[in-house]
């Protein structure tokens, strides 16, 4: 997508604090962290705007992202646990319409939403 922030980050046109990359997936630190560890995991290709657009035809990118999430959690030493969130749509708080998963860790989230 021409004017998509995360497509530009995936293409290296906008810099990011990269923590993991493979052929299909990029993970980088969130610019406005909501937890001591806050990492975004994105498919490099603009496969979907959000979870609302996942179909049998593009769901493989979700599996690739979760494979990357497990690797990032291992590399970051998130032994005590972590949370994965995906916002879909404005009411959920989504601000960047390129499918992505937030990894949050490093604080106790056991008494909060979900
Ligand atoms: P969401 O609100 O679920 O769409 O998540 C978008 C996330 O992207 C937010 O947590 C932002 O802080 C983050 N973000 C926006 N611009 C950048 C950037 N240039 N580098 C890293 N993270 C960003
Ligand atoms: Zn995009």
């Amino acid at each position: 997508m021409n004017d998509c922030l995360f497509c530009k980050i995936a293409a290296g046109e906008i810099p990011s604090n990269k923590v993991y990359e493979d052929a299909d997936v990029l993970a980088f630190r969130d610019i406005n962290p909501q937890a001591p560890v806050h990492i975004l995991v994105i498919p490099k290709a603009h496969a979907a705007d959000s979870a609302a657009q996942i179909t049998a035809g593009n769901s493989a990118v979700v599996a690739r992202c979760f494979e990357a999430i497990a690797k990032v959690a291992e590399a970051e030493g998130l032994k005590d646990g972590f949370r994965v969130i995906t916002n879909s749509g404005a009411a959920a708080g989504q601000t960047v319409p390129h499918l992505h998963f937030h990894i949050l860790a490093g604080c106790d989230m056991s008494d909060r939403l979900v």
Side-chain angles (χ1 to χ4, degrees), residues 22-25 41-45 47-48 53-68 99 101:
D22 63 32
D24 302 315
V25 176
V41 177
I42 68 169
K44 288 182 175 177
Q53 293 181 352
I54 298 302
T55 66
N58 64 15
S59 61
V61 299
V62 178
R64 298 290 90 75
C65 285
F66 272 82
E67 290 163 22
L99 180 70
F101 300 93

Side-chain angles (χ1 to χ4, degrees), residues 5-6 9 28-32 40 87 93-96 100 102:
L5 173 64
F6 286 176
I9 287 177
F28 53 95
R29 298 196 191 277
D30 197 292
I31 204 168
N32 182 25
L40 299 173
N87 295 322
Q94 186 178 14
T95 57
V96 180
H100 57 278
H102 299 255

Side-chain angles (χ1 to χ4, degrees), residues 1-22:
M1 293 256 297
N2 284 340
D3 212 26
C4 172
L5 173 64
F6 286 176
C7 281
K8 288 178 180 169
I9 287 177
E13 294 167 14
I14 292 175
S16 67
N17 191 344
K18 196 185 300 182
V19 298
Y20 173 83
E21 181 173 21
D22 63 32

